[in-house]
Amino acid sequence: GQQLNQSPQSMFIQEGEDVSMNCTSSSIFNTWLWYKQDPGEGPVLLIALYKAGELTSNGRLTAQFGITRKDSFLNISASIPSDVGIYFCAGPPSGGSYIPTFGRGTSLIVHP
Amino acid sequence: SQTIHQWPATLVQPVGSPLSLECTVEGTSNPNLYWYRQAAGRGLQLLFYSVGIGQISSEVPQNLSASRPQDRQFILSSKKLLLSDSGFYLCAWSVQGTNQPQHFGDGTRLSIL
């Protein structure tokens, strides 16, 4: 089946630092999705990318759809304590599937 | 706007007891509906999905079942819970069609004793 490799697994950073995480696939994806999950809650969609090379921002968050269509990046600038959580990448592989594959998540801890 | 409701938020059940978790979506029609389980290792495991009333696809064989009695209602059930059924259960919906993002409920924390 499809696999998404998400890295890093965990990040421990100081408040104010920038964060970068990425996701790679062995297959071409038509859509890349980035979610954030707060402890004890469901994942919330942050950014959706639909076109190779697309760069989209949502506040301090910026995500890019890789040119090869096999990777995506999420950057968080000037991190704050409420950025703590697990960030998931996801996407339905090309071929018309409506079932996204999810990465295993990047756990972010921000020290004040 | 669309909303998704899941209940209960937490549940403690003895081994061998039945289970019923409910999920409803408002503000949209004919959504795709999904049940996921998230174990402590944090990966999301797809259990069931549905593209319409009465249509259920199972991704992982186990002692759980799902039903969709109404367009915007999705139920996860079990006749006899196992210890290994403990976890965080998430319901999600998406617009029909490909490349549509999923939107998740707040989850149910299920503990089996």
Side-chain angles (χ1 to χ4, degrees):
Chain A
Q2 302 296 334
Q3 293 221 346
L4 287 183
N5 298 309
Q6 192 171 348
S7 66
Q9 264 194 325
S10 303
M11 299 184 79
F12 300 84
I13 63 170
Q14 290 294 128
E15 183 177 358
E17 289 183 12
D18 295 342
V19 172
S20 186
M21 59 190 79
N22 69 79
C23 211
T24 59
S25 167
S26 56
S27 308
I28 287 174
F29 274 52
N30 289 330
T31 301
W32 281 99
L33 309 168
W34 284 95
Y35 291 84
K36 182 198 177 195
Q37 185 177 26
D38 288 331
E41 299 184 14
V44 173
L45 183 67
L46 297 173
I47 293 177
L49 304 160
Y50 297 102
K51 200 165 129 182
E54 181 181 352
L55 186 72
T56 298
S57 292
N58 178 2
R60 293 177 295 106
L61 277 62
T62 302
Q64 182 161 27
F65 193 141
I67 292 290
T68 64
R69 294 170 65 194
K70 291 184 178 182
D71 58 5
S72 181
F73 305 88
L74 176 69
N75 295 319
I76 304 173
S77 62
S79 59
I80 58 178
S82 62
D83 290 333
V84 164
I86 301 176
Y87 292 80
F88 290 98
C89 61
S94 63
S97 172
Y98 48 80
I99 307 292
T101 299
F102 280 81
R104 288 189 57 78
T106 294
S107 177
L108 178 64
I109 294 178
V110 180
H111 294 288
Chain B
S1 64
Q2 301 89 2
T3 56
I4 178 168
H5 302 281
Q6 240 187 284
W7 68 92
T10 59
L11 190 59
V12 181
Q13 292 283 102
V15 168
S17 63
L19 173 74
S20 181
L21 302 181
E22 191 159 341
C23 173
T24 58
V25 180
E26 295 176 0
T28 187
S29 296
N30 199 26
N32 287 341
L33 296 172
Y34 311 83
W35 278 111
Y36 285 87
R37 177 167 59 203
Q38 187 176 32
R42 76 177 182 237
L44 292 168
Q45 179 188 33
L46 179 64
L47 301 175
F48 301 95
Y49 66 92
S50 171
V51 299
I53 296 174
Q55 300 179 60
I56 308 294
S57 295
S58 173
E59 289 292 298
V60 182
Q62 51 206 316
N63 70 320
L64 299 171
S65 62
S67 61
R68 186 170 176 172
Q70 300 180 44
D71 180 44
R72 290 169 290 172
Q73 183 185 28
F74 206 23
I75 298 171
L76 183 69
S77 305
S78 174
K79 292 182 180 174
K80 285 178 107 171
L81 285 167
L82 306 172
L83 280 174
S84 58
D85 291 323
S86 292
F88 191 50
Y89 288 82
L90 289 157
C91 181
W93 74 274
S94 68
V95 172
Q96 286 273 355
T98 60
N99 300 328
Q100 298 294 329
Q102 294 173 326
H103 305 276
F104 289 84
D106 286 335
T108 295
R109 173 71 59 191
L110 176 64
S111 299
I112 311 299
L113 303 179

